[in-house]
Amino acid sequence: MSARSALPVIAVAAALTVLAGCSSTKTDGKKGSGGLELVSAGTLKTCTHLPYAPFQVKKDGKVVGFDVDLVDLVAKDLGVKQEIVNTPFEGIETGQDFTIRKCDLAAAGMTITAARDKVMDFSDPYFNATQALLTKKGKPFKKVEDLKGKKLGYQKATTGGIYAKEHGKGVELVEFEDLGLLLTAVKSGQVDAGINDNGVLFDYVKQNPDTAVTAEFNTGEHYGIGVRTGNDALRKKINAVIKKAKSDGSYNRIYKKWFGTTPQS
């Protein structure tokens, strides 16, 4: 929708604030400010936009996925529970959800971009991605330009949409509110192809063998966990947890659970 390092130990006072379940502390809204605050005491609220399997998807009434398991490690480290907040992706990527304190962080299979980095702060990269093309099986489309005169679907407010607009001259572009609607449109033939991140499309093909990923575009994207601009204490905590997970094997375990293999890099 859409990889990173080690960091200093979080301030003792900040950790005590969280563990004691106190109400949030004030920050100055600038990068580098101290203090770790949570929107609701005792809860780490995660904004995401469902469905986005295998990163976040509802199964048997519960939201599960790669991002969910990764953020659970952060919540465990803080001594709190993670709560998923399903919200339109536009509110996440524009930073609005942080402004109105809807959540503490956003884990939404979200690519770090310059535009998004202006309205939120990102953790170190935790996942590599690229754009890919989904079609019904047997279709010849290998690049966006091959779809001239055809319909290409993309998800609203995503890097896939940006790529489609940059390369889709002569292609009829069709916007969808979420990934589920986009995938259904490809499968049903409503559109000739759909563009989105490779991880979610390959996951979809596993369950839908009448579809295929016909191309990847090597856009070199990296997912990051977003926090409110200036919430450096939480950002550093997330980075520390990611680094620890990569060193103690937790990251590889979670990766294999959701992708069936270990990361290549």
Side-chain angles (χ1 to χ4, degrees), residues 127-132 196-203 213 216 223:
F127 192 90
N128 298 327
T130 190
Q131 292 304 305
N196 209 291
D197 294 4
N198 56 347
V200 294
L201 297 190
F202 279 116
D203 182 76
V213 174
E216 292 182 86
Y223 289 171

Side-chain angles (χ1 to χ4, degrees), residues 4 55 103 123 134 142 181-182 231 248 253:
R4 304 156 190 223
F55 296 92
C103 52
S123 71
L134 178 77
K142 301 296 183 186
L181 294 173
L182 170 61
N231 195 352
D248 68 9
R253 174 180 54 77

Side-chain angles (χ1 to χ4, degrees), residues 16 68 77 79 135-136 174 177 182 194 204 212-213 218 222 233 265:
L16 289 174
V68 177
D77 193 85
T135 70
K136 294 194 75 171
V174 184
E177 182 66 29
L182 170 61
Y204 183 75
V213 174
N218 193 27
H222 305 287
S265 60

Side-chain angles (χ1 to χ4, degrees), residues 29-128:
K30 297 178 181 178
K31 290 184 179 180
S33 62
L36 197 163
E37 65 175 44
L38 295 177
V39 171
S40 297
T43 302
L44 183 64
K45 289 193 172 184
T46 298
C47 274
T48 194
H49 181 55
L50 302 173
Y52 208 69
F55 296 92
Q56 308 93 5
V57 64
K58 184 173 280 188
K59 288 186 177 177
D60 300 325
K62 183 180 178 182
V63 179
V64 297
F66 178 84
D67 281 0
V68 177
D69 284 355
L70 197 60
V71 175
D72 268 345
L73 297 179
V74 179
K76 183 180 180 182
D77 193 85
L78 292 172
V80 299
K81 293 290 186 182
Q82 179 181 190
E83 178 184 323
I84 304 293
V85 180
N86 184 26
T87 185
F89 189 65
E90 269 187 307
I92 295 174
E93 77 143 10
T94 59
Q96 180 184 10
D97 289 343
F98 294 125
T99 300
I100 62 175
R101 300 294 196 270
K102 185 179 281 188
C103 52
D104 299 294
L105 59 85
M110 181 166 56
T111 298
I112 300 169
T113 68
R116 292 169 182 167
D117 195 42
K118 289 181 180 177
V119 296
M120 71 183 79
D121 289 342
F122 280 104
S123 71
D124 291 336
Y126 68 91
F127 192 90
N128 298 327

Side-chain angles (χ1 to χ4, degrees), residues 161-238:
I162 294 172
Y163 190 93
K165 291 170 186 174
E166 289 178 347
H167 297 82
K169 186 177 181 181
V171 179
E172 183 178 348
L173 302 180
V174 184
E175 182 177 277
F176 293 90
E177 182 66 29
D178 61 42
L179 178 67
L181 294 173
L182 170 61
L183 298 175
T184 299
V186 174
K187 188 176 174 70
S188 66
Q190 183 182 343
V191 296
D192 298 285
I195 187 169
N196 209 291
D197 294 4
N198 56 347
V200 294
L201 297 190
F202 279 116
D203 182 76
Y204 183 75
V205 167
K206 288 180 188 174
Q207 311 301 323
N208 296 271
D210 58 331
T211 63
V213 174
T214 59
E216 292 182 86
F217 303 130
N218 193 27
T219 51
E221 298 175 41
H222 305 287
Y223 289 171
I225 295 174
V227 302
R228 177 178 51 79
T229 299
N231 195 352
D232 220 36
L234 180 56
R235 187 184 65 82
K236 289 180 177 180
K237 170 60 69 177
I238 294 167

